[in-house]
Amino acid sequence: VLCPGQGTRDHAPAQAALRDRLLSAVVSCFKRHGAAAIDTPVLELRGRRGGGPFALPQETLMGKYGEDTKLIYELQDQGGELLALRYDLTVPFARYLAMNKVNNMKRYHVAKVYRRDNPATTRGRYREFYQCDFDIAGQFDPMIPDAECLKIVHEILSDLQLGDFVIKVNDRRILNGVFAVCGVPESKFIPACSTVDKLDKMPWEEVRSEMVGEKGLSPEAANRIGEYVQLHGGLDLIERLLQDPKLSQNKLAKEGLGDMKLLFEYLTLFGITGKISFDLSLARGLDYYTGVIFEAVLLQQENEHVEEPVSVGSVAGGGRYDGLVGMFDPKGRKVPCVGVSIGIERIFSILEQRLEASGEKLRTTETQVLVATPQKHLLAARLKLISELWDAGIKAEMLYKKDPKLLKQLQYCEDTGIPLAAIVGEQELADGVVKLRDVATRKEVRM
Amino acid sequence: VLCPGQGTRDHAPAQAALRDRLLSAVVSCFKRHGAAAIDTPVLELRGRRGGGPFALPQETLMGKYGEDTKLIYELQDQGGELLALRYDLTVPFARYLAMNKVNNMKRYHVAKVYRRDNPATTRGRYREFYQCDFDIAGQFDPMIPDAECLKIVHEILSDLQLGDFVIKVNDRRILNGVFAVCGVPESKFIPACSTVDKLDKMPWEEVRSEMVGEKGLSPEAANRIGEYVQLHGGLDLIERLLQDPKLSQNKLAKEGLGDMKLLFEYLTLFGITGKISFDLSLARGLDYYTGVIFEAVLLQQENEHVEEPVSVGSVAGGGRYDGLVGMFDPKGRKVPCVGVSIGIERIFSILEQRLEASGEKLRTTETQVLVATPQKHLLAARLKLISELWDAGIKAEMLYKKDPKLLKQLQYCEDTGIPLAAIVGEQELADGVVKLRDVATRKEVRM
């Protein structure tokens, strides 16, 4: 009882320090791009007894998460409101914009979300985990905010030195255009989409048989889809598909390809196309995407003796969702949005494993100086000195012993990485000075 | 649905920025005192079907919160573990120490907790709220860590410039000693304690009648208690009670008073006794305290034309809990602890109201420079320049328009407090320079 549940975990100081460092890097990138912070509650209303201003039919709203709705944690009805734990930060952001009638906003949000998922803790998959989201809401000229989201992913993954990566990009409109020209009825776009999404985990043959078997697509349609979704490339591929006799006739696909071309222009100006791959197999699970979608994956290092770089998992993803805010607005007022979510838990797992392997010890405190005494009966002097240091804003500690041995005090510095010891002995007290000792070099100065 | 439940709230950017500033001040004080961060999950196990290593009887552990157990949010049994939302950060800390067999730790934890309480949002009381805790665990010489906790409260409340305050201090052993010498049976110590705790909200007569009526104390015992618990003072009062013919005969009370004297000695060395009041009416609700307890209250300002300073509510509190870790340890191994919790929500409410009253506008972003163009067809130049700025770590924004008007761009700077505009026009492009404009002074330099 009162111990962490399955798929949750404690963070010991070393882990908390690592996470702090990681989150700081991400947040400082978000701030560099001019984002403001907002916070929304973890407890969300599932419904109100007897209705209320936001008591729309539960299915409509929970439905934003598609098949994942079953993964939402619900609270017991202990008398009062029906509550759930937030599943992500995107839907609450859309709700926030609608409720407050906000038309423009660039915001970040770093907070915990909850999913009744099957935890795979070694791969950084937990039931309680952080999400780090950056979103741009507003009606703007095409692809400028979208390009910035990709730039952000590029900056963060480069900063963190996680090794080589690629950012796969696609567009829901292109995918839907592909389905349409391959003869898939519109009612099957979403199931077809979620099947295509599995192409990074299983070979085309299996994906194809799921399409035909489970999703009820015709074998011919599936074959035609296969010809498209196995394509990936850059500007050249976009140009080729813009000339594709079938695809170029589809309005949605043409729009999507035109915007994709514009996106690549902007990414060229940002100098990051080297890490971008236009990949028609990228589908992303969530229903609410309406335009560009993307996902960053780390590549296995070459020095790991693998012939071809292999993807070792998604570490960031996002896309455009122009319809979500309108679903929360009583008048259906639309606010186009594009955003990115950094997969902080997987990155944390990688950094944690790397730190363990290196044997490096992360400092868990920031203490600059230990106040120490070489003789007995000097507790009062230590308390007076440390109080002065704290009041001067200096990070200081002392041992909570009346008469600790000097050796123990210096040992504590070495164990915890405190660089300096401020020593007051009888002589120093008489002279009105303090001896400052550099713990590593053992050099001492009186001051 | 998916809107904040009762007693929860969104934080708009201005509020999030204020909260960020407030939490930074608190955390930097905790770090100044050498604390490491830990994190424990929000989802806690209430029990495991079929038992398990931590499946002790539910009552035993939930009982740590005393009467407040009914305020714990429980999750629905959706198949799996029985979960609850954490009620505070202290009990999980004790569980962490026991589980990991940690004997010494100075840690802070800033995180959200959840209570099915009656929200009083104007007074900063919410169902989902932050707690900021600092605790020192370990077997040390008496009152040194306890004194540091009080120093921390003093530093934080001074730093935040919240106005005059007083930190009330008492000791559970002294209170229990008082109950004993007044003839209260030991079984009624806890109910008597929780009644005494109401003395800051109601007059003694009402407290007395609750003791006699609801808690079943004899009128004589209640009268005797009244003589003690209405006392408050400093070192003089401690000395007087150490001479009290009845109280000095009680072992617990004598221990408590001896330690209180030592505490005052240390607080004198810290130079903070001016804000400390030894107050026998302070009891604190929680069952787990075993020694010193304290609570900081803000005093009404003198300029508000009130004759005597009146308390306007508790903004920090804590105490010693030497038995809690042992309750989680299979072998009952004890780890003495003392800690403090900063009432960040109430402080936030005060600062928020003060900010509103002042009309001051808090910046919600940290953007240093806006990349702007005075002519059309210069989007590429802006994208190139902003990308260079981002890569150099400079916080930069641009408008997401192909051809924004210069006036609109400068207006954006004024609205959001961006101090500089980096302007690239056709002339600057030709000359290979950028014009840097100080938005406030309108001064420009080419560089």
Side-chain angles (χ1 to χ4, degrees), chain A residues 160-374:
Chain A
L160 294 175
Q161 300 179 296
L162 294 169
D164 204 11
F165 61 88
V166 62
I167 309 175
K168 299 179 188 173
V169 187
N170 197 4
D171 193 299
R172 273 286 168 89
R173 292 167 298 174
I174 301 176
L175 265 182
N176 287 345
V178 166
F179 296 143
V181 303
C182 294
V184 178
E186 210 177 314
S187 64
K188 290 194 174 159
F189 281 8
I190 288 181
C193 208
S194 69
T195 309
V196 166
D197 201 38
K198 296 179 183 166
L199 255 181
D200 60 337
K201 277 167 211 133
M202 45 169 91
W204 166 246
E205 285 67 35
E206 283 176 43
V207 170
R208 184 188 173 282
S209 74
E210 185 178 315
M211 276 184 179
V212 176
E214 286 174 43
K215 311 286 167 164
L217 269 56
S218 73
E220 300 75 34
N223 289 343
R224 274 181 243 128
I225 291 172
E227 283 170 32
Y228 286 108
V229 297
Q230 293 179 82
L231 299 172
H232 55 94
L235 207 47
D236 51 329
L237 178 59
I238 301 170
E239 298 286 6
R240 219 172 81 208
L241 292 176
L242 274 169
Q243 307 303 324
D244 182 280
K246 277 183 291 175
L247 215 51
S248 61
Q249 297 309 306
N250 180 283
K251 190 173 163 279
L252 270 183
K254 219 178 137 187
E255 256 181 48
L257 286 165
D259 276 351
M260 189 59 71
K261 196 175 157 186
L262 198 57
L263 179 67
F264 266 78
E265 257 177 51
Y266 297 160
L267 298 179
T268 306
L269 289 164
F270 287 160
I272 60 170
T273 43
K275 302 274 187 206
I276 309 280
S277 167
F278 171 42
D279 187 325
L280 277 100
S281 75
L282 180 72
R284 301 216 20 103
L286 290 163
D287 296 358
Y288 55 60
Y289 289 120
T290 55
V292 71
I293 46 179
F294 52 88
E295 197 164 290
V297 292
L298 296 186
L299 302 174
Q300 209 143 40
Q301 302 300 300
E302 280 175 35
N303 57 14
E304 289 173 44
H305 309 294
V306 185
E307 300 236 326
E308 221 185 328
V310 181
S311 138
V312 291
S314 159
V315 288
R320 178 162 283 285
Y321 50 101
D322 288 349
L324 196 58
V325 178
M327 291 178 182
F328 289 98
D329 192 279
K331 291 179 184 162
R333 187 188 53 106
K334 286 200 172 185
V335 179
C337 294
V338 63
V340 52
S341 187
I342 306 297
I344 208 73
E345 299 295 342
R346 193 164 285 188
I347 297 174
F348 178 77
S349 287
I350 294 168
L351 293 179
E352 198 182 8
Q353 283 165 20
R354 197 181 286 176
L355 197 70
E356 257 171 50
S358 78
E360 195 201 326
K361 230 178 113 187
L362 221 57
R363 268 199 80 180
T364 58
T365 65
E366 300 177 6
T367 311
Q368 300 163 302
V369 56
L370 184 86
V371 174
T373 36

Side-chain angles (χ1 to χ4, degrees), chain A residues 1-2 45 54 148 400 402, chain B residues 1-2 45 54 141 148 400:
Chain A
V1 185
L2 291 177
L45 221 46
F54 274 85
E148 182 167 0
Y400 301 123
K402 269 202 304 208
Chain B
V1 185
L2 290 176
L45 221 46
F54 276 85
D141 281 327
E148 183 167 1
Y400 301 123

Side-chain angles (χ1 to χ4, degrees), chain A residues 84-142:
Chain A
L85 299 188
R86 74 175 157 216
Y87 177 85
D88 72 357
L89 304 177
T90 309
V91 173
F93 175 55
R95 191 267 308 153
Y96 176 90
L97 294 175
M99 235 181 99
N100 297 289
K101 304 198 190 325
V102 176
N103 290 314
N104 287 297
M105 177 175 258
K106 185 155 51 173
R107 83 90 174 77
Y108 73 90
H109 194 181
V110 172
K112 283 182 177 176
V113 300
Y114 300 85
R115 296 188 185 177
R116 288 177 51 242
D117 213 342
N118 285 325
T121 54
T122 49
R123 288 187 293 126
R125 217 162 91 184
Y126 289 85
R127 290 179 165 179
E128 171 176 343
F129 60 96
Y130 274 99
Q131 277 200 339
C132 299
D133 281 20
F134 172 98
D135 293 80
I136 301 171
Q139 183 68 59
F140 301 117
D141 281 327

Side-chain angles (χ1 to χ4, degrees), chain B residues 99-116:
Chain B
M99 237 181 98
N100 297 290
K101 306 199 191 320
V102 176
N103 290 315
N104 285 298
M105 177 176 258
K106 185 155 50 173
R107 83 90 174 79
Y108 73 91
H109 193 181
V110 172
K112 283 181 176 177
V113 300
Y114 301 85
R115 296 187 185 177
R116 288 177 52 240

